[in-house]
Amino acid sequence: MPELPEVETVIRELRPLIVGKCIEQVEVLWPKTWVNRSEVPIEGQCIKAIRRRGKYLIFPLDESTLIIHLRMTGRLAFAPDAETNSVQLQGLNHVRLVLFFTDDSRLIFNDTRKFGRVYHVDDPAEILKNTGKDALDEDWTPELFYRMLSGRKTGIKAFLMSQKFISGLGNIYTDESLFRAGIHPEHSAGSLSRKEAERLFESVRFILEQAVKNMGSTISDYRDAYGNPGKNQLYFKVYKREGQPCFNCGTPIQKKRVAGRSTRFCPKCQK
DNA sequence: CCATGTACCTGAAGGC
DNA sequence: TGCCTTCAGGTACATG
């Protein structure tokens, strides 16, 4: 479920709540969720910061690193004390892991489909080695994007979805970005003109920043750290709009399998 | 290198 | 009301 904007929203909310907290214990309710590859115990270590790369949440600890990927249905919620049963904890029907802090507050990882992972590693590169530059990273520029595309035979949708070049885009924001740029999802990545690459770069940035402002998109499962849904689904121009008229030209939005995923686009506006 | 299929999981929705 | 199929914000891995 969550792509970059949803992860960014959760991180911004969690940062003031859990940076500085010290871990007393990890409770694992679904064993596959917890991937512990660190030499040092997590108990007693404190959270120094929260960062993001693509869809990964990264929590540097004193001597190791905690990394979380929410995959399709992962959700994080903070409980300030042991007795809390507030609205932000409602709907947590599939708790897979709980981090207990020394002050009796806790971070709850809920994940209906069990695809999400909570990694504990000594070197973050173990997990992040195949994850490219973050789509909101200031070092990513139109010029760099154009160079990354050159010589690529793959389709542009597959390129944007692969996290090894640019990280953070998933199925929704890829389709929305391509629509905004007027580029067909099956257009070969390597044959985009410099101008098209620049327009697509601008579109990706616009779409992601708009979604962050709107606290992410909620289709069904996504909730932020306080249990609130996002508002960005109200701004979709193609996602889930198959059969409905294109906002630019009125042509029905088409749905087709591209790069293994349901893909929505306007056959007239996107070439 | 690239495309495609499968696996990992649960639950909602649609067809009959 | 059931039963069966398909689909879903993701990614890793196997196979041509």
Side-chain angles (χ1 to χ4, degrees):
Chain A
M1 64 126 113
E3 304 178 35
L4 184 155
E6 291 75 32
V7 175
E8 179 64 21
T9 300
V10 171
I11 282 184
R12 288 182 185 184
E13 292 173 341
L14 286 180
R15 195 170 277 130
L17 297 174
I18 68 168
V19 170
K21 304 271 185 203
C22 302
I23 298 162
E24 186 169 271
Q25 196 202 332
V26 180
E27 183 184 10
V28 180
L29 295 102
W30 178 255
K32 284 183 164 180
T33 299
W34 177 236
V35 181
N36 190 359
R37 291 196 208 141
S38 172
E39 299 290 319
V40 298
I42 196 168
E43 292 82 7
Q45 294 203 61
C46 307
I47 297 174
K48 296 201 291 188
I50 310 183
R51 292 200 274 274
R52 184 183 57 72
R53 172 120 141 247
K55 304 169 195 172
Y56 286 99
L57 298 97
I58 305 164
F59 306 80
L61 309 176
D62 297 318
E63 296 174 52
S64 55
T65 305
L66 191 72
I67 300 180
I68 299 179
H69 198 301
L70 304 171
R71 294 283 183 99
M72 296 289 264
T73 56
R75 173 176 161 191
L76 290 166
F78 177 74
D81 58 69
E83 288 81 40
T84 294
N85 192 17
S86 66
V87 69
Q88 69 200 66
L89 303 186
Q90 283 174 18
L92 300 178
N93 302 320
H94 302 279
V95 176
R96 309 303 181 193
L97 185 143
V98 183
L99 283 185
F100 289 91
F101 300 118
T102 50
D103 63 356
D104 279 345
S105 64
R106 60 202 198 277
L107 184 66
I108 299 162
F109 181 74
N110 191 86
D111 185 15
T112 306
R113 291 178 69 184
K114 301 176 173 173
F115 293 164
R117 292 292 179 266
V118 179
Y119 304 95
H120 179 222
V121 291
D122 292 324
D123 180 4
E126 276 187 64
I127 306 301
L128 303 173
K129 60 178 186 292
N130 295 320
T131 302
K133 207 171 271 303
D134 186 86
L136 292 183
D137 189 328
E138 287 185 10
D139 294 341
W140 184 45
T141 61
E143 295 71 42
L144 181 55
F145 184 38
Y146 183 66
R147 267 184 274 140
M148 294 168 92
L149 291 167
S150 82
R152 302 260 151 224
K153 301 282 277 181
T154 188
I156 188 62
K157 168 140 181 172
F159 180 92
L160 292 175
M161 295 278 291
S162 161
Q163 305 296 297
K164 69 183 177 188
F165 306 111
I166 297 301
S167 61
L169 287 163
N171 202 35
I172 292 179
Y173 299 115
T174 296
D175 283 4
E176 293 295 320
S177 297
L178 287 168
F179 173 77
R180 182 177 171 83
I183 296 169
H184 195 284
E186 293 176 300
H187 197 300
S188 130
S191 62
L192 287 178
S193 68
R194 185 174 289 270
K195 202 175 166 189
E196 286 170 320
E198 282 171 16
R199 200 163 63 229
L200 182 51
F201 177 92
E202 185 279 332
S203 297
V204 167
R205 280 285 167 84
F206 178 91
I207 291 294
L208 293 177
E209 284 166 7
Q210 173 183 253
V212 170
K213 281 193 193 115
N214 290 318
M215 315 281 282
S217 303
T218 295
I219 309 305
S220 58
D221 299 274
Y222 171 71
R223 294 293 183 280
D224 69 12
Y226 293 107
N228 298 315
K231 298 181 178 71
N232 194 66
Q233 63 280 8
L234 302 172
Y235 299 84
F236 291 162
K237 298 220 162 122
V238 286
Y239 186 76
K240 287 273 176 86
R241 291 199 66 249
E242 56 268 29
Q244 295 176 243
C246 168
F247 289 130
N248 285 346
C249 74
T251 303
I253 298 301
Q254 218 169 299
K255 175 176 166 178
K256 183 185 181 188
R257 204 134 197 98
V258 178
R261 306 295 299 274
S262 286
T263 299
R264 284 83 170 183
F265 62 100
C266 173
K268 188 170 171 199
C269 296
Q270 294 176 253
K271 298 298 179 190

